[in-house]
Amino acid sequence: MSATLTSTEPATGALLWQGNASDVEAEVATVRAAWPSWAAQPISYRIETLRRFVNVVRANEEALADLIARETGKPLWDARTEVTAVMNKVDISVAAYSERTGQRRLEAAMGARQSVRHKPHGVMAVLGPYNFPAHLPNGHIVPALLAGNGVLFKPSEKTPAVGEMLVRFYHEAGVPQDVVRLVLGGPDEGKALTAHEDVNGILFTGSAATGLTINRQFAHNPGKILALEMGGNNPIVVWDTGDIASAAVLVVQSAFLSSGQRCTAASRLIVKEELADMLIGEVKKVADRLIIDHPHADPAPFMGPVIDNQAADQLTESFLYLMSHGGRPIKHLVRLSEDRPLLSPAIIDVTNMSERPDVELFGPLLQVIRVPDFPAAIAEANNSRYGLSASLIGGSPELYNQFWANIRAGIVNWNRPTNGASSSAPFGGQGISGNHRPSAYYAADYCAYPVSSAEIEQPRASIGIGLKEVDVSGMGD
């Protein structure tokens, strides 16, 4: 008997959705049987189908945004930007498919031609996160479908309602129901899906711990395609700048947008000692003004709750740990509701901590580190196993060039936040932030594989060296 799943609104605790866990074996078999017919369709047919998906989303734009806001707790305006990203993904993916996996034909010897074409992998499992429950899995699903794959989509157990609506929209647009299937469940269903021998690829977005487990699971099986996006412990470095107010706003946007629940959120503010007091004071002023409320509140909040009480408890424990091990609180992490996961943004100076935990603090908790010179800033920024996103605020073009050349991250920005990456660029990181298979525009790379072919219409061959002479002595006149 399948387990019953529920989803509640983080902001109110109200029951939002209820359903049953999926039969993973049956879902994999369904997609395995169906994907070849989808792959056999012309690319123009698949493009047309996914453009109809955009029209379906547009017709239900407000309903999807409202559901995202209710299920994640993010402000409605933030949820609306996610829906826009879902719609934009199709045209971006069509362009990426053409550029990254397009056909090539070259003339070869003896009138032959050399062709390069791409084939889909087959059955792809997409494991989605809760912070962007529509946009991030859609960023895998759309390019996978364009390439001709079948898809098994397992949303986070914390956001199944959004996952269910997204899959319904694919089906309403004309993607065959057996080509995209929803797999509902928790860790057990996720493990069964990733371990299934009939799954050809796993496209994962989530925690480093889960991603590393999946990576170890397939160390002996190079035939499985793995694309892992596993978050970050991201630095934002503030150096010589005369615009402290703008620098402070960029820091606040980087650290606290979406309640800090972005894999590209800034966890560490690394600042030149001479600027530190002035900058920190300005950051605190801006953070003190942020409205934290439920998604549909008026006036609109900057931040909603974190995903659930368990996440809020873990963040509270992390703040207490930092404080009890040498951290100096600048702005305390405050639980704004006794029974709901509404947290104030927090800032803590950890410069004098002897050992700083290298973990992803997935919430509104910013650590401050003061450094004496720029080499120390770069060393501190690189003092992490992660390497997803990094920003330099201030400095000269020469200083930014030095920063760009030496920083270990897949996204390196200048005078911009660490978050808000463009879907028209590759998205991925170094270290335990990823496995060198960036998503976004480069998702086309892991959704199809290149096949090189030497081709000619009639067999033609000759051997010009290394053959014995033909004996013609016994041949007649």
Side-chain angles (χ1 to χ4, degrees), residues 11-203:
T12 66
L15 179 65
L16 180 67
W17 178 95
Q18 189 168 328
N20 295 320
S22 299
D23 182 338
V24 173
E25 191 69 35
E27 297 296 347
V28 173
T30 297
V31 177
R32 169 59 58 186
W35 80 267
S37 60
W38 173 253
Q41 295 288 350
I43 180 63
S44 59
Y45 177 87
R46 298 197 296 270
I47 290 172
E48 179 185 350
T49 303
L50 287 166
R51 284 187 168 147
R52 287 199 301 270
F53 163 72
V54 176
N55 293 333
V56 173
V57 175
R58 186 173 288 113
N60 296 274
E61 191 170 350
E62 199 60 23
L64 179 56
D66 179 73
L67 185 60
I68 291 170
R70 291 184 185 280
E71 193 163 43
T72 65
K74 69 172 63 176
L76 185 59
W77 64 264
D78 199 357
R80 285 173 175 150
T81 65
E82 180 171 354
V83 175
T84 298
V86 168
M87 293 187 287
N88 290 344
K89 185 62 189 178
V90 171
D91 279 347
I92 290 170
S93 297
V94 170
Y97 182 87
S98 175
E99 179 182 321
R100 305 289 300 177
T101 60
Q103 297 187 21
R104 292 182 61 205
R105 293 199 172 181
L106 303 171
E107 295 301 317
M110 300 177 67
R113 63 176 177 263
Q114 187 71 37
S115 297
V116 178
R117 296 188 288 271
H118 289 75
K119 289 186 178 184
H121 295 284
V123 178
M124 306 293 272
V126 174
L127 277 66
Y130 63 75
N131 59 329
F132 284 88
H135 167 52
L136 288 179
N138 185 67
H140 292 307
I141 294 169
V142 166
L145 290 173
L146 274 177
N149 297 283
V151 174
L152 294 144
F153 168 37
K154 184 198 170 298
S156 167
E157 58 270 28
K158 298 182 180 184
T159 51
V162 173
E164 184 179 69
M165 181 177 281
L166 191 64
V167 170
R168 176 161 56 84
F169 289 166
Y170 295 126
H171 294 162
E172 287 182 12
V175 179
Q177 292 199 9
D178 289 351
V179 170
V180 177
R181 302 294 295 176
L182 182 69
V183 178
L184 295 169
D188 289 344
E189 284 73 22
K191 291 174 184 175
L193 186 58
T194 59
H196 203 289
E197 62 181 12
D198 283 338
V199 171
N200 302 106
I202 297 152
L203 313 180

Side-chain angles (χ1 to χ4, degrees), residues 201-212:
I202 297 152
L203 313 180
F204 169 80
T205 307
S207 72
T210 302
L212 290 171

Side-chain angles (χ1 to χ4, degrees), residues 172-442:
E172 287 182 12
V175 179
Q177 292 199 9
D178 289 351
V179 170
V180 177
R181 302 294 295 176
L182 182 69
V183 178
L184 295 169
D188 289 344
E189 284 73 22
K191 291 174 184 175
L193 186 58
T194 59
H196 203 289
E197 62 181 12
D198 283 338
V199 171
N200 302 106
I202 297 152
L203 313 180
F204 169 80
T205 307
S207 72
T210 302
L212 290 171
T213 298
I214 294 171
N215 193 55
R216 283 192 294 267
Q217 185 178 1
F218 294 106
H220 67 288
N221 189 350
K224 295 258 190 185
I225 192 78
L226 297 178
L228 305 174
E229 197 279 280
M230 301 180 290
N233 183 14
N234 306 301
I236 184 166
V237 177
V238 179
W239 215 247
D240 297 321
T241 176
D243 193 348
I244 294 295
S246 292
V249 169
L250 289 168
V251 169
V252 167
Q253 289 175 333
S254 298
F256 303 134
L257 195 63
S258 303
S259 301
Q261 296 177 122
R262 293 194 178 201
C263 52
T264 49
S267 301
R268 297 176 291 144
L269 168 58
I270 299 165
V271 59
K272 188 176 185 179
E273 180 65 53
E274 289 87 341
L275 289 178
D277 290 340
M278 187 186 309
L279 176 71
I280 292 166
E282 194 66 28
V283 170
K284 184 177 184 300
K285 283 181 188 177
V286 178
D288 285 341
R289 294 179 57 200
L290 298 181
I291 299 171
I292 303 102
D293 209 336
H294 68 83
H296 298 79
D298 187 16
F302 182 84
M303 286 169 44
V306 294
I307 190 65
D308 56 24
N309 284 325
Q310 180 184 10
D313 290 342
Q314 289 173 345
L315 287 161
T316 302
E317 290 172 7
S318 295
F319 186 83
L320 292 173
Y321 175 90
L322 294 173
M323 192 167 62
S324 63
H325 286 75
R328 182 174 63 83
I330 295 165
K331 180 174 172 58
H332 281 269
L333 187 74
V334 177
R335 197 74 179 258
L336 302 176
S337 170
E338 289 185 5
D339 59 348
R340 305 312 317 144
L342 282 161
L343 300 174
S344 69
I347 308 168
I348 185 166
D349 191 326
V350 298
T351 305
N352 295 323
M353 283 187 67
S354 57
E355 293 185 13
R356 305 184 194 104
D358 183 21
V359 295
E360 183 177 32
L361 298 172
F362 209 58
L365 176 47
L366 178 65
Q367 302 162 84
V368 177
I369 304 165
R370 303 164 185 253
V371 292
D373 52 48
F374 200 65
I378 290 178
E380 193 61 61
N382 285 335
N383 185 23
S384 174
R385 299 169 298 159
Y386 295 88
L388 181 57
S389 182
S391 282
L392 172 65
I393 311 301
S396 64
E398 293 76 17
L399 203 71
Y400 174 63
N401 288 340
Q402 184 182 346
F403 183 77
W404 190 95
N406 289 280
I407 207 73
R408 286 192 307 101
I411 301 163
V412 181
N413 298 334
W414 185 28
N415 290 322
R416 299 298 299 156
T418 57
N419 47 28
S422 170
S423 296
S424 296
F427 182 92
Q430 310 292 308
I432 61 170
S433 287
N435 67 332
H436 300 277
R437 293 193 181 277
S439 60
Y441 199 79
Y442 280 23

